[in-house]
Amino acid sequence: MNPEGGSEGWRIIGVGSPVAGDDLGWAAIAALKQARLDQVAELLSLDRPGPALVDHFQGRDRVILIDAMHAGLAPGSVRALSPEELIVSAHPPSTHGLGLAEALALARALDCIPKHLHVIGIETGPSLDGETRSIAIRQVVQLIQAILNETDPGLDRSTRRGHPHRNEARDSAILPVDSTSDDTGSPMNDNDASAAELTKEQRILNMMRKVLTDVARDTHAPPGTKHALTERTITGIRDCLSLISAREQELAEALGDDRNLRPRYVDEPRKSTVVPINIDGLKKKPKPE
Amino acid sequence: MSENREIRIEVPVLARVEGEGALELSASGGRIETLRLRIFEPPRYFEKFLEGRGPQEVLDVVARICGICPVAYQMTAVQALEQAFGMQASPWVIRMRRLMYCGEWLQSHALHIHLLALPDFLGFESGIAMAAQHPEAVRRGLRLQRLGNDLIRLFGGRSVHPVGMRVGGFHRAPDPERAATLLEELRAALPEAEALVAFTASLNLPQDDQDFTSVSLRHESEYPLYSGRIVSDRGLDLAVEDYPEHFQESHVAHSTALYAHLDGEPYLVGPLARLNLNHDRLSPPARAALDATGLQLPSRNMFHSVIARAVEIHEVVLEAIRLLENYRPEEPAHVPVTVGAGTGFGATEAPRGLLWHRYELDMAGKLRSAQIVPPTSQNQARIEDDLKRSLEAFGLHNDDDALRLRGETVIRNYDPCISCATHFLKVRIQRR
């Protein structure tokens, strides 16, 4: 797949500015590059494009926009926003005040809204610390991977063709697949359909786990009250989750992935430490006369 | 509705202008008694921020005053700094600055005409509402704006708050291949820019002649953009450094922006003032397109500002093509600079009008003091004067909504940038 060409390809646009606070869209694009999504999509960072954003929709059916937002959420919160709701919220523009919502409203009026348009907002704010920011950017990458995979399940195979080295393909964040073996242990080649199946299996497992845990949470009964589910069903859910976890582990090992999805407590000692930097200390001091 | 009723109008938020401001007026007996253009956007203190800053920091900081006209602030600042250091930029640098400035006029005027002013004259609430009915007009505006941004980016690396300028010239000369590509795109857009002049002249614009003083730069041979003397249509002809002898800034209670007067009187800066004073400096093709419209100059009708902007778009597209056709990169793209103490002045024509700077620097080349007079603060007194005359001429018998819309339309003729001036508009109408 050629990331540059055709209306079929994805264009992912980080909106903002390189200045801290409004640079989350840009940071997300950098992370997507690092995750090698530039192999499967065109990545752009735009500096406060205003109405010029409309230009970047021309001839594209598939666009993802990423921007920092103020939505009253906790800093670092990541949300998939509805383009329609944004358009409804647009204000009459001024020369300086034509933001993302107004640009989308203009694109709608000009009938050039991409057929598949996703908008991802990252809550910003002065209290957004480095670690929360990193987590938010990782969530954006995962969200975009899911969007790309969902709308184009064959994407992983076509990407692999663009990579002569298999390990590089494995490193690709949208391609958690290995080329050395499939789940039967037999050799695979780049055109082997089982690579795509393997990824699909992971997605199925992930979705099943999510649905089962959602069912458990939604049917939670306070102590002393009767549970909505029978004991047999509860046991069945537990067994299913155990099987899913075991299978995910097998797949991860087959792929050589370092699976470290263990939950972490907020007060757990961290292996890395944040070194505070005194900006004033870095500035050049005037030499004594 | 009786014209003699007592009216009090307040427009608490002015749309399609930049910044926080409001319009308040009260009328009685068919006459406006008080009219205030209230500007309550907080002061931004840029002049104080500049104190103690070195030359490159000054160029980066002044670019932040405005996201639409950062080039104007940088160009004016660099003039003042170079004068203070007793140096002159090379003819190549001067040509390239003019070329970059063409980009800013093109993007700013294209955006104003198509998204801010046209809805007034075609009967829409906003550019977005207009886009569905007149998509080609809006698309034309977006194309021209993009070209302007591309020109700024050619020199500045980016179109918002560009970073390519330095005292003595530019950090680097633009890549000839990118310049050649842009030249072809500008050539392709030239018919569209020319047609825009006739298009704006064909609009059903209100006829409202008023008496006002036009002020702008005037260059010995060029349409004023980067340099010239300060002139008016009342015989004023000043060197840039003599500006304070005739122009005074003052505070008024209802505005956080300073008001400027010329010898105690309101005056006009901006596209119509420039065209009134410099239409003989237009290039022959721009002059021919203007003549074809039949517009008589000097014009006393502020609604002709939209035509003036279109003429200037045509002029800068022609000028940019001319400069790019002769483009040859020079390296280094700047002349050596020796910093030192001094006082410098700068004056250029921002898209919204005359922009004037005065800097005083110490031995290390750092700013001791700065004075920046942006176009919108110079136009404030004129806008109030215009509103009073326009609304009375329009007729106070009209209902509140009609008066409010006319008031906002008058204000938008000036394309005010309140953020630059403090920096604008909410309108409140009250009838007594």
Side-chain angles (χ1 to χ4, degrees):
Chain A
M1 178 179 173
N2 176 9
E4 301 291 329
S7 62
E8 293 298 309
W10 281 97
R11 175 174 282 170
I12 306 174
I13 304 173
V15 177
S17 86
V19 181
D22 193 18
D23 64 342
L24 292 171
W26 285 44
I29 293 295
L32 292 169
K33 272 185 191 155
Q34 205 165 14
R36 307 184 61 91
L37 266 77
D38 55 344
Q39 302 290 327
V40 293
E42 185 187 3
L43 306 181
L44 289 176
S45 298
L46 298 181
D47 191 349
R48 292 153 288 180
L53 184 63
V54 178
D55 268 351
H56 296 276
F57 292 165
Q58 305 289 350
R60 286 283 173 166
D61 285 344
R62 299 178 171 194
V63 172
I64 301 173
L65 294 170
I66 315 161
D67 197 2
M69 65 177 179
H70 283 299
L73 301 170
S77 301
V78 173
R79 293 286 184 275
L81 307 171
S82 152
E84 288 305 320
E85 283 177 21
L86 282 170
I87 288 170
V88 168
S89 71
H91 298 291
S94 75
T95 41
H96 301 224
L98 209 145
L100 190 66
E102 290 75 27
L104 290 178
L106 188 60
R108 161 60 47 82
L110 292 171
D111 196 24
C112 61
I113 285 272
K115 204 163 140 192
H116 305 283
L117 175 66
H118 298 266
V119 184
I120 298 172
I122 312 167
E123 185 79 15
T124 187
S127 61
L128 179 60
D129 62 76
E131 188 174 359
T132 312
R133 176 189 163 98
S134 300
I135 292 168
I137 298 297
R138 278 204 298 275
Q139 287 178 341
V140 172
V141 172
Q142 287 166 0
L143 189 52
I144 289 175
Q145 288 168 350
I147 292 169
L148 300 191
N149 285 333
E150 187 179 317
T151 51
D152 192 355
L155 196 60
D156 39 12
R157 264 183 294 157
S158 54
T159 315
R160 287 162 55 80
R161 289 187 201 107
H163 289 268
H165 304 295
R166 293 177 172 184
N167 287 339
E168 285 180 7
R170 186 199 303 160
D171 290 341
S172 167
I174 66 153
L175 277 176
V177 294
D178 198 337
S179 53
T180 54
S181 67
D182 62 9
D183 54 343
T184 63
S186 61
M188 287 172 56
N189 62 48
D190 283 351
N191 295 323
D192 196 323
S194 60
E197 293 300 319
L198 202 59
T199 310
K200 193 180 286 179
E201 184 183 352
Q202 286 185 312
R203 291 202 303 272
I204 292 169
L205 290 170
N206 193 40
M207 183 55 72
M208 284 176 63
R209 179 162 42 78
K210 187 174 181 308
V211 170
L212 289 170
T213 50
D214 282 350
V215 168
R217 188 174 54 242
D218 295 348
T219 56
H220 169 73
T225 58
K226 190 175 186 305
H227 203 288
L229 303 177
T230 64
E231 195 56 41
R232 186 166 170 267
T233 307
I234 293 171
T235 306
I237 289 176
R238 281 201 192 108
D239 290 347
C240 273
L241 287 169
S242 297
L243 286 168
I244 289 168
S245 184
R247 180 62 184 149
E248 285 182 329
Q249 188 65 36
E250 283 174 17
L251 292 174
E253 282 170 11
L255 299 170
D257 282 355
D258 178 21
R259 277 187 102 238
N260 185 17
L261 303 178
R262 182 175 64 84
R264 193 168 52 74
Y265 294 103
V266 289
D267 57 352
E268 186 176 36
R270 292 173 186 171
K271 289 179 182 169
S272 60
T273 53
V274 177
V275 179
I277 296 174
N278 182 348
I279 298 293
D280 291 332
L282 296 174
K283 287 181 181 167
K284 278 187 181 171
K285 293 194 170 62
K287 289 179 182 171
E289 303 264 332
Chain B
M1 203 173 285
S2 166
E3 193 165 326
N4 294 324
R5 71 207 157 109
E6 293 187 330
I7 304 170
R8 189 166 169 81
I9 297 178
E10 297 185 354
V11 182
V13 181
L14 285 169
R16 285 187 271 138
V17 297
E18 163 49 24
E20 299 288 328
L23 172 64
E24 292 179 0
L25 74 89
S26 60
S28 182
R31 306 285 298 175
I32 291 175
E33 292 177 326
T34 58
L35 185 145
R36 292 194 187 101
L37 183 63
R38 289 182 57 233
I39 290 183
F40 44 78
E41 178 149 329
R44 297 171 74 209
Y45 304 115
F46 268 96
E47 287 154 324
K48 294 303 283 183
F49 294 157
L50 290 171
E51 290 178 8
R53 303 283 174 188
Q56 191 56 48
E57 285 178 302
V58 169
L59 294 183
D60 288 338
V61 171
V62 295
R64 262 72 180 179
I65 294 175
C66 183
I68 295 293
C69 48
V71 174
Y73 284 93
Q74 288 186 315
M75 294 287 178
T76 317
V78 84
Q79 277 184 7
L81 290 166
E82 288 173 355
Q83 188 185 39
F85 298 148
M87 60 171 293
Q88 280 192 318
S90 70
W92 181 87
V93 167
I94 302 293
R95 288 198 301 276
M96 295 304 105
R97 285 180 180 167
R98 190 171 167 81
L99 176 55
M100 186 182 183
Y101 219 149
C102 286
E104 184 157 280
W105 277 29
L106 180 53
Q107 63 89 7
S108 177
H109 282 0
L111 191 61
H112 183 267
I113 290 175
H114 294 92
L115 283 179
L116 307 185
L118 262 188
D120 283 332
F121 307 125
L122 296 180
F124 293 89
E125 185 196 2
S126 73
I128 293 170
M130 188 184 75
Q133 298 291 319
H134 299 276
E136 272 318 302
V138 174
R139 286 181 192 279
R140 175 183 61 206
L142 294 178
R143 281 193 294 272
L144 291 169
Q145 188 212 11
R146 183 183 59 77
L147 273 176
N149 282 334
D150 287 349
L151 252 180
I152 298 172
R153 203 175 289 119
L154 185 68
F155 289 91
R158 60 193 196 201
S159 59
V160 181
H161 312 323
V163 292
M165 295 270 293
R166 55 170 289 165
V167 177
F170 295 92
H171 290 293
R172 58 162 181 79
D175 171 44
E177 271 186 32
R178 283 186 59 203
T181 303
L182 198 45
L183 172 59
E184 288 312 310
E185 291 179 8
L186 284 160
R187 282 177 173 150
L190 183 57
E192 209 162 35
E194 183 178 350
L196 184 60
V197 177
F199 172 81
T200 53
S202 70
L203 293 169
N204 185 23
L205 301 173
Q207 190 59 43
D208 181 20
D209 282 7
Q210 298 181 6
D211 188 30
F212 55 80
T213 303
S214 295
V215 171
S216 80
L217 291 180
R218 183 164 171 85
H219 187 273
E220 56 196 18
S221 59
E222 300 167 338
Y223 194 78
L225 212 167
Y226 177 73
S227 57
R229 289 174 65 81
I230 298 167
V231 302
S232 83
D233 52 7
R234 305 282 162 98
L236 188 80
D237 184 355
L238 296 173
V240 168
E241 50 266 41
D242 296 333
Y243 177 90
E245 291 179 12
H246 292 270
F247 295 85
Q248 304 87 32
E249 286 188 295
S250 59
H251 281 288
V252 293
H254 60 272
S255 172
T256 53
L258 292 169
Y259 273 58
H261 288 87
L262 165 59
D263 295 327
E265 296 294 327
Y267 62 101
L268 172 71
V269 298
L272 189 62
R274 278 194 295 259
L275 194 63
N276 280 342
L277 289 160
N278 297 282
H279 53 91
D280 60 332
R281 294 285 190 261
L282 290 169
S283 59
R287 177 75 216 191
L290 171 61
D291 287 346
T293 66
L295 181 71
Q296 296 297 309
L297 291 170
S299 166
R300 296 284 156 213
N301 182 3
M302 276 306 300
F303 291 98
H304 287 159
S305 295
V306 68
I307 307 175
R309 285 190 183 88
V311 171
E312 289 190 336
I313 281 180
H314 189 202
E315 175 70 12
V316 294
V317 170
L318 287 159
E319 179 73 347
I321 289 172
R322 183 183 74 80
L323 289 163
L324 279 169
E325 282 175 338
N326 299 296
Y327 175 68
R328 301 279 182 281
E330 276 193 10
E331 291 292 354
H334 52 86
V335 295
V337 180
T338 306
V339 301
T343 301
F345 302 85
T348 69
E349 285 288 346
R352 290 159 185 79
L354 178 67
L355 174 60
W356 187 86
H357 290 206
R358 177 190 183 276
Y359 297 154
E360 196 181 327
L361 295 101
D362 65 18
M363 290 296 289
K366 295 193 171 177
L367 254 71
R368 275 205 188 113
S369 67
Q371 186 184 359
I372 296 174
V373 187
T376 294
S377 66
Q378 299 183 73
N379 273 338
Q380 276 187 96
R382 169 85 267 271
I383 295 173
E384 283 187 352
D385 195 32
D386 185 351
L387 279 166
K388 194 172 175 187
R389 299 189 204 191
S390 295
L391 292 175
E392 284 185 355
F394 180 59
L396 297 176
H397 60 279
N398 286 289
D399 64 29
D400 284 6
D401 285 343
L403 286 169
R404 186 180 293 112
L405 178 60
R406 176 55 67 103
E408 289 191 291
T409 305
V410 166
I411 292 165
R412 284 193 282 268
N413 282 334
Y414 297 81
D415 190 11
C417 177
I418 293 174
S419 295
C420 283
T422 60
H423 299 273
F424 180 135
L425 198 62
K426 303 183 175 183
V427 185
R428 286 190 295 175
I429 305 177
Q430 285 187 18
R431 299 172 185 273
R432 287 187 282 118

